[in-house]
Amino acid sequence: QTKCAEKLEVLHAITEQLPIRLDTLSLGQIRTATFEKAVASLQEELRSGAAPALISALRAEIQAERHVMSRVEAAGQTAVSRLDVVVTMLRRFFIPMGEDVAIRTSHGYVLVPANDEALLLHAVESSGQLEPGTQNVLLALLQPGSSYVDVGANVGLLCLPAARQVGSDGSVIAVEPAPRTASLLRRTMALNDLTDRVTVIEAAAGAEEGRATLHIGRTSGWSTLLDGLDSVGEVEVGVRPLDAIIPPGGRVDVVKVDAEGYELQVLRGMVRVIADNPRLAVVVEFGPSHIRRAGGTIGAWLSAFQDHGLVPWEIDEATASLRPLRGTGLGDVVSMNLLFLRDSPASRPGLRLA
């Protein structure tokens, strides 16, 4: 019991900033039904004067109690062992750093706000891979020396593996409008010694230069320039088109867009980038609810990309395989990522068709 209490204190110290709650383990005040019966029997035996029977019964109950306590002790030791495992896992995957938490992924550490419980829980469940299929597709599209643009980079869960993949001869431009998130993203890249290839642009990507109100979501990935969101705050941010960020003739191999309904504005601001890069691959979040909130339709949204010769393919998050965009039921989709290509996926060696 003492060891359990000590381990629980350590566990509490580690998890008090994380969204993990453990039921209190209590092994005290253990009284069995047989013991209560023995007390009642003892009182009756004393009143009747049957001392020998009393002694025999009492010895039996004492032996039973010893057996129960040995089982309790074994259970306590098992609990301590399990708590050791939990503590070790938490220390391995999470490092509290004041208002932030460093999450360990297979590509390095990512800094996440300690109060972003939804993101932290998803990171626990996925070992830092929230969109494993999309990540693998991006890594298949990128090679050492590639140029990658991450619009809506958030805390960098996709940006970090992409930066590893392009290597020191490649480049990554991470566009993130939320000031707090952009700051964490810079620190994450510095923590992983990737500032030589990653440039963080603290702005929203859009159709033209300007200023706009960013509505801060309850979790960092939900922040958007669209009105009507149940936000927890607002902040004025700069807006920059990718055509202004990427110089004319600049090489771009892959653009990922996660703009929470602002995708068509991002598209309008990258017309020259699309024209300059015939082999450009564009990964975009498709969310019908975002499209409707922006006042658009699914058909018009898809046509805007197809007008540039970009053909949509669905990304299977479980298998990282591609399939042609379904012809029906798109309005029922909650969210999925699409890969837009001018050429066939078969011309990209790393991509797989379902």
Side-chain angles (χ1 to χ4, degrees):
Q1 289 176 268
T2 301
K3 290 181 179 179
C4 277
E6 292 174 352
K7 293 297 180 182
L8 283 171
E9 288 179 6
V10 173
L11 186 63
H12 177 70
I14 294 175
T15 60
E16 62 181 354
Q17 297 186 50
L18 301 178
I20 299 173
R21 303 289 184 267
L22 299 178
D23 293 333
T24 302
L25 177 63
S26 176
L27 299 178
Q29 299 181 348
I30 298 175
R31 296 176 67 88
T32 65
T34 55
F35 181 77
E36 299 292 346
K37 282 183 177 181
V39 172
S41 174
L42 171 61
Q43 293 172 339
E44 180 62 29
E45 294 285 352
L46 285 172
R47 285 194 292 271
S48 65
L54 165 66
I55 294 172
S56 177
L58 187 57
R59 283 175 176 167
E61 294 304 330
I62 290 173
Q63 186 64 28
E65 286 300 314
R66 285 176 176 168
H67 177 66
V68 170
M69 290 308 297
S70 68
R71 293 176 61 186
V72 168
E73 183 179 359
Q77 290 173 349
T78 300
V80 169
S81 177
R82 289 175 178 173
L83 286 174
D84 277 336
V85 172
V86 173
V87 169
T88 300
M89 289 179 64
L90 287 173
R91 282 175 172 161
R92 179 181 178 186
F93 290 107
F94 299 93
I95 302 176
M97 302 179 69
E99 296 181 351
D100 311 314
V101 176
I103 299 176
R104 185 176 184 269
T105 75
S106 58
H107 297 279
Y109 282 97
V110 176
L111 292 172
V112 176
N115 61 356
D116 195 336
E117 296 186 352
L119 181 56
L120 284 168
L121 285 174
H122 285 309
V124 171
E125 294 171 357
S126 66
S127 299
Q129 290 186 318
L130 301 188
E131 299 170 307
T134 297
Q135 176 176 300
N136 287 333
V137 167
L138 286 173
L139 296 183
L141 292 166
L142 296 169
Q143 305 296 327
S146 293
S147 176
Y148 171 64
V149 178
D150 194 331
V151 174
N154 199 1
V155 296
L157 287 170
L158 288 176
C159 190
L160 178 60
R164 297 284 190 204
Q165 185 77 344
V166 303
S168 58
D169 292 330
S171 66
V172 173
I173 295 177
V175 184
E176 172 53 48
R180 169 110 163 84
T181 309
S183 174
L184 287 174
L185 187 56
R186 290 192 193 93
R187 290 170 56 201
T188 290
M189 294 305 130
L191 182 66
N192 291 280
D193 196 24
L194 294 171
T195 55
D196 62 327
R197 70 200 69 169
V198 180
T199 301
V200 177
I201 305 293
E202 188 175 322
E208 56 188 21
E209 299 271 3
R211 305 286 294 176
T213 299
L214 180 70
H215 305 274
I216 307 297
R218 291 190 301 276
T219 188
S220 57
W222 294 354
S223 298
T224 177
L225 294 179
L226 294 177
D227 292 330
L229 180 76
D230 182 19
S231 62
V232 296
E234 296 178 348
V235 62
E236 185 177 328
V237 299
V239 179
R240 300 189 65 190
L242 293 188
D243 284 346
I245 295 173
I246 310 297
R251 173 188 169 186
V252 180
D253 296 291
V254 182
V255 174
K256 186 227 78 181
V257 180
D258 185 352
E260 299 296 301
Y262 215 64
E263 298 82 22
L264 295 190
Q265 295 293 329
V266 175
L267 182 65
R268 294 185 187 109
M270 57 181 288
V271 172
R272 197 204 70 245
V273 168
I274 295 173
D276 287 347
N277 295 275
R279 291 266 296 171
L280 179 69
V282 184
V283 175
V284 187
E285 181 191 21
F286 170 74
S289 63
H290 299 324
I291 294 171
R292 288 190 289 267
R293 195 166 72 246
T297 65
I298 293 174
W301 190 91
L302 289 170
S303 293
F305 289 92
Q306 292 167 331
D307 287 346
H308 294 281
L310 296 166
V311 178
W313 297 82
E314 295 184 16
I315 299 175
D316 187 317
E317 292 297 341
T319 65
S321 59
L322 304 173
R323 62 173 58 90
L325 182 65
R326 68 194 72 178
T328 60
L330 285 173
D332 298 326
V333 173
V334 176
S335 177
M336 67 177 172
N337 288 328
L338 302 179
L339 170 64
F340 287 92
L341 296 172
R342 284 196 183 103
D343 50 347
S344 168
S347 67
R348 313 281 183 131
L351 297 180
R352 295 188 300 109
L353 295 177

